[in-house]
Amino acid sequence: MKNHGCERGIRGVRHPSLQDGWDLAPNDPTGPRFRIEDIYPCVDCGRYPIKRIAGESVEIWADIFREGHDVLAAALIWRNESSPDWLREPMTLFGNDRWHGRFTPPEPGRYVFAIEAWTDQYATWRKEYLLKQEAGQDVSLVAREGHELILDLTPQTREPRLVVEAAARKFAETEDAAVLLDEVLAAAIEKTDNRPDLTRSHLMPLLAERERARAGAWYEMIPRSQGRIPGKHGTFQDCIARVPEIADLGFDVLYFTPIHPIGHTNRKGKNNSLRAEPGDPGSFYAMGSEAGGHDAVHPELGTLDDFRRLVDVCRQHNMEIALDFAVQCSPDHPWLKEHPEWFKTRPDGSIKYAENPPKKYEDIVNPDFTCADGIALWASLRDVILFWCKQGVRIFRVDNPHTKPFPFWEWLMREVRTHYPDAIFLSEAFTRPKVMKALAKIGFSQSYTYFTWRTTKHELQEYLSEITSHPERDYFRPNFFPTTPDILPIELQAGETWKFKSRAALAALLSSNYGIYNGFELIEHEPLPGREEYINSDKYEIKVRDWNKPGNIKDFLKRLNTIRRQNPALLQTSGLRFLQVDNDNVTGFLKESVHKDNAVACAISFAGYPQEFWLHFGAEQIGPEKEQHGVRLIENLVTGERHMLEWGGIRLRIDPSDPVLIFRCYP
Amino acid sequence: MKNHGCERGIRGVRHPSLQDGWDLAPNDPTGPRFRIEDIYPCVDCGRYPIKRIAGESVEIWADIFREGHDVLAAALIWRNESSPDWLREPMTLFGNDRWHGRFTPPEPGRYVFAIEAWTDQYATWRKEYLLKQEAGQDVSLVAREGHELILDLTPQTREPRLVVEAAARKFAETEDAAVLLDEVLAAAIEKTDNRPDLTRSHLMPLLAERERARAGAWYEMIPRSQGRIPGKHGTFQDCIARVPEIADLGFDVLYFTPIHPIGHTNRKGKNNSLRAEPGDPGSFYAMGSEAGGHDAVHPELGTLDDFRRLVDVCRQHNMEIALDFAVQCSPDHPWLKEHPEWFKTRPDGSIKYAENPPKKYEDIVNPDFTCADGIALWASLRDVILFWCKQGVRIFRVDNPHTKPFPFWEWLMREVRTHYPDAIFLSEAFTRPKVMKALAKIGFSQSYTYFTWRTTKHELQEYLSEITSHPERDYFRPNFFPTTPDILPIELQAGETWKFKSRAALAALLSSNYGIYNGFELIEHEPLPGREEYINSDKYEIKVRDWNKPGNIKDFLKRLNTIRRQNPALLQTSGLRFLQVDNDNVTGFLKESVHKDNAVACAISFAGYPQEFWLHFGAEQIGPEKEQHGVRLIENLVTGERHMLEWGGIRLRIDPSDPVLIFRCYP
């Protein structure tokens, strides 16, 4: 079949844009013949990348069709964004014009994929020939058409070309259609690239990250509070001393609040008071002093060498460091002298401190992202991240990203990942849901969430259903913190141990990324009166704690972390199904690993007194795609007890001393 | 606030495409600051137009936000695609970053719309000033910042400029902040276009059509079967004679199967037999002979003048003509001689007749859309439609569009609508669902559906739910036919009058576009044995019918059409809600007009014996947005009886002699 469109090569499906609207829709006979629609997974039509883990298969689906009844073929093409060469995987028809293919990005990085579709002219001819032959119709002309078709083929490689040419010659001599139906010929033709109506979809982006982006247990530490002598500023050395203990509890990420020099001007005192007393250390979020800015360490913590030693010690304990990245500066930050043009001047010549009227943050000023020298400001902030990457840090918790322009973050993370594809970014935005999701779309690996304020069974199930559905599950990875230095939720202010355990279990078992803030394990719970904040917060003062204080829940946390590590089902979030529980004080859910080789069921209590309930597995299936089964046997991962399910469910009891049950599930 | 991005003018949100992938995502400080997401309604990210009716308000929603807490503003901009000038409507924040706006396309045509968002700098300043003032903070510097802000404004028009300049002068003299907070100044500032961070969304297409595209009752007529003398070929004059009767039945569209000259070569005989007997008229789908092609009329029907007279008579009776557009040609079509290059030649020099192996259609050949001269072929087919538009036809039922390339139809309908924006196209594709939907996306006003084979309550409710949900409801308009010349479903082959009535009622009341094929009103029901086709179909022979044959259901159809015309609720399809009915043999549903001033409830029986049931309105609300109420009173539109609902429902009975109940609903 001749098609003059073939000189044109690949014809893409155009998407509308400002310049290229629908009035420029395909309008000539060589326009893209195929529809390639509803590509899944996909975030905002491909404007933002889907997120996956390197080394794991990415399943792609699309509707692919054109007019008529010809035999079609399709391929999934993909490449690392930096590579010029496409790799190809076949796609197969699943049914109802829906096609399926998969590929595996081998390493962290940015990838693009697209779908190509074309008419399989030879298969179409073959189908016609066989249908007519079967119906007893005269097929001699059809055979000659098949001959014309293979004469038009021009395989690029030698071997298929020889096969095709030989078949063409042989048919010319014998007029024997069997020559054209030969399987060897069919295989040779499959290797030709005679695809005059090839249509390529638009490109779809994918961000492949390493496993830590999907799963990690975080321990948030205020480094200056890790000392052992009351009143004395903790050091990196003190932090190093704590690493074995924290590693033993099973944490993967040791996350430090800012470690940079702290300003003096308008330094905050205890409990965020406006005037610091002599000796008050100030808020570590007021970054920058004569000792340096974002790429310096606070002298009282130690030296950069000390910090690098800390990074090494963590690595030896299979933990890694996460650093806090906050854009704001103390009025004493070197940038104010070096780059006054980055800061907006008020009519009296002063620089405006940060505020969210009527709230004031007198000890910090924010650079002005709309300043004329914005590009230099962006580059300097990027260089801060690159500096800490060079010190061995790969995880950054970004403070308040929702108050800086989205294009800045999108650019910054792209830049950093170009050099360090294994960099991970956590978005600390507790703000409007659309904004939090937009930050995830533009590249944050993980996001803080509303978990902190979702305290009932119904609220949590609704919230988890939202963030584990498509498209959220394809770009938004939650990281659940029961408390943070800024937030002590009302829920925990009574200091009930069972509730701390319940909240930790909900965080650790519902979300594959979760974290606690130091002191949580000690049931610290005293608020500023009437506020959801800690009293005497170590944001403004130096604390020394007894990390083995009686009543701590370290054993409980260790058990959670151990079970997480042993059960890949718990190391991902989106494979979550809530189970039916006939008790509003208990939530039950089932999680399954990406490879479908591990399934775990959990029941967690929301009450401070014993709960009895039925946990129903209903029709939920576990196991690999082609051999799924209902759950029949469950094994308590703490006691080792095994239970056969009765009628798909089981009667259970939870005691507040240990408000969580975790079971391995078997078919 | 200065922003050097302002020289750049409007910055659009780019969508990825083949050349412009995500690796070209915004990467500098002047990139679009706003996110404009989840624009609704929208079909395939804006690749295809949403469909609306000219003169009716189009409601647009979008998520609009940027970083931080400044006061934002947004506008909906729109224009006819052919107009260079944008029109503007304000958008208002609904909540959770979701904004709303509306515009009304005044006449049929293609429109584009987009959303613009920007920071309202003055409102942001004003908010800051008032918040600080309220908190008792010193606001003198803030006032001076407000002064700087208005000094930067450069209103384009005289009056606002004078107001702004006067205020700036007055503040300079008095330092009185009240000057800056003045409402007159605020109004003047709203008229400036100082919008340095203006972001425009990508363009979204909209196809506005006239009301007939959304609602019409079609009567399908085979013109040669409208004569009164057995054996004699019917004429346009015979058709004219029938117009008053059909108009009196309340039909809006008189749809003719092809009226073109019929070929002789391989002419089909009765019941699709391979050989025609002398006198057999042949299939009217074998178009073209020495008498002409697609732009000629079959001589036995009359002349083009007769046809134009028919068009006029229809218009006088408030009906319009729909013509059948089929691409194929009889081997005797003039194009085969004039444009042999449009037809594919087989190795023996012959032209392949149409087939879908092993099925053969010996009396027609299909032009080859992939031929080298494809553009000329496309243009000729377009000219056929334009020719009939010139004769006063504006509705085209397109035969088998799914076997011709999608880009061709998209182009053809665009071309025709450029000249005749009121042209309506009905897609006759009974094929795979994705293909049927794709045809609707590329511009068909209406589509044939699976209605013909959806015969149970459950099947119909499921199917209607599918096609009346977003996004289908925004581009796919069903046209329900209980039978067609090609299809006599098994369901109707027993010839039960109650079932013909039930199917007609389902078609006419569920879908605002519906149609019957002549003979349906006479309960014609004899099939080819074992097939879903009519025996002795007038596709292959001339018929004469007694249009007033005893047992006909014309009165029933007239009543349906009358009630439809009197109730705008029935003249649209997507405002459909199924009601709860405790009887699987009865479906109940509620429809409401676009303007919310008319609500109708229907109950239709699927059984040939009396049915009793409760029709429950539950919590369904009717009425305009701000004063919605539950249904309390219903009025039978046939008997005039009125019933108060008890507990939101009513006990009803349907008799098979009249298997449908239709009620006007009142709050």
Side-chain angles (χ1 to χ4, degrees), chain A residues 318-334:
Chain A
N318 289 317
M319 284 203 298
E320 54 179 311
I321 291 285
L323 278 193
D324 208 323
F325 181 65
V327 167
Q328 71 269 6
C329 301
S330 134
D332 310 313
H333 194 288

Side-chain angles (χ1 to χ4, degrees), chain A residues 22 45 81 97 132 355 432, chain B residues 22 45 81 97 132 355:
Chain A
W22 81 311
C45 319
E81 201 187 87
D97 292 315
K132 288 184 172 174
E355 53 183 2
R432 294 122 63 202
Chain B
W22 81 312
C45 318
E81 200 189 88
D97 293 315
K132 288 184 172 172
E355 54 183 0

Side-chain angles (χ1 to χ4, degrees), chain A residues 461 505-506 508-511 560 563-564 567 569-570 576-581 586-591 599-606 613 615-617 634-635 637 652 654 659-665:
Chain A
Q461 295 193 176
L506 288 165
L509 301 175
L510 281 170
S511 174
L560 283 179
I563 291 175
R564 278 169 52 97
N567 289 279
L570 298 170
L576 171 71
R577 288 165 277 179
F578 285 102
L579 300 174
Q580 207 190 321
V581 174
V586 176
T587 186
F589 53 88
L590 176 65
K591 289 180 98 171
V600 170
C602 305
I604 304 176
S605 169
F606 293 82
F613 59 96
L615 180 68
H616 293 274
F617 286 78
I634 62 174
E635 177 186 0
L637 287 175
L652 294 169
I654 293 189
V660 54
L661 301 174
I662 313 176
F663 302 97
R664 177 87 196 265
C665 302

Side-chain angles (χ1 to χ4, degrees), chain A residues 1-4 10-18 21-23 25-35 37 44-49 63-69 72 79 81 95-98 110-112 128 131-132 135 137 141-142 144-145 148 200-203 205-207 344-348 350 352 355-360 368-372 374-375 378 401-407 410-411 414 431-435 438 441-442, chain B residues 1-4 10-18 21-23 25-33 35 37 44-49 63-69 72 79 81 95-98 110-112 128 131-132 135 137 141-142 144-145 148 200-203 205-207 344-348 350 352 355-360 368-372 374-375 378 401-407 410-411 414 431-435 438 441-442:
Chain A
M1 191 189 287
K2 291 198 173 46
N3 183 329
H4 76 296
I10 290 159
R11 281 161 268 138
V13 176
R14 273 179 297 205
H15 260 239
S17 74
L18 195 61
W22 81 311
D23 43 357
N27 64 355
D28 72 272
T30 61
R33 188 176 202 175
F34 286 81
R35 305 289 110 163
E37 299 188 341
D44 287 10
C45 319
R47 163 66 181 84
Y48 301 106
D63 293 341
I64 303 174
F65 53 94
R66 46 156 271 202
E67 86 284 2
H69 307 282
L72 312 184
R79 58 178 172 82
E81 201 187 87
N96 191 18
D97 292 315
R98 194 111 182 112
R110 293 188 301 268
Y111 292 80
V112 283
E128 178 187 342
L131 279 170
K132 288 184 172 174
Q137 298 174 11
L141 262 183
V142 184
R144 286 170 61 188
E145 285 168 334
E148 285 191 354
R200 183 182 288 177
S201 74
H202 58 283
L203 302 192
L206 178 142
L207 178 65
K344 207 159 81 180
T345 316
R346 307 196 71 184
D348 67 350
S350 69
K352 196 169 190 167
E355 53 183 2
N356 185 7
K359 281 190 272 179
K360 305 177 185 184
D368 176 13
F369 279 85
T370 65
C371 70
I375 292 171
W378 286 32
H402 57 289
T403 56
K404 287 89 199 170
F406 299 121
E410 190 168 19
W411 170 86
R414 158 175 295 279
T431 181
R432 294 122 63 202
K434 307 285 171 70
V435 174
K441 287 178 190 175
I442 61 177
Chain B
M1 192 188 291
K2 289 198 173 49
N3 183 330
H4 74 297
I10 290 158
R11 281 160 268 135
V13 175
R14 271 179 298 203
H15 259 239
S17 72
L18 195 60
W22 81 312
D23 41 0
N27 62 355
D28 71 276
T30 61
R33 186 176 202 174
R35 304 289 111 164
E37 298 188 342
D44 287 11
C45 318
R47 164 65 181 84
Y48 301 105
D63 293 341
I64 303 174
F65 53 95
R66 46 155 271 201
E67 86 283 1
H69 307 284
L72 312 185
R79 58 175 171 84
E81 200 189 88
N96 191 16
D97 293 315
R98 194 114 182 110
R110 292 188 301 267
Y111 293 80
V112 284
E128 178 186 343
L131 279 169
K132 288 184 172 172
Q137 297 175 13
L141 261 184
V142 184
R144 286 170 61 190
E145 285 169 333
E148 286 193 351
R200 183 182 288 175
S201 74
H202 59 281
L203 302 191
L206 177 143
L207 178 65
K344 206 159 83 182
T345 316
R346 308 194 73 185
D348 66 350
S350 68
K352 197 169 189 168
E355 54 183 0
N356 186 6
K359 281 192 272 179
K360 305 178 185 184
D368 175 13
F369 280 85
T370 66
C371 71
I375 293 171
W378 285 33
H402 57 289
T403 56
K404 286 89 198 171
F406 300 121
E410 190 166 20
W411 171 86
R414 155 173 297 276
T431 181
R432 292 121 65 197
K434 309 285 172 71
V435 174
K441 289 178 188 173
I442 61 177

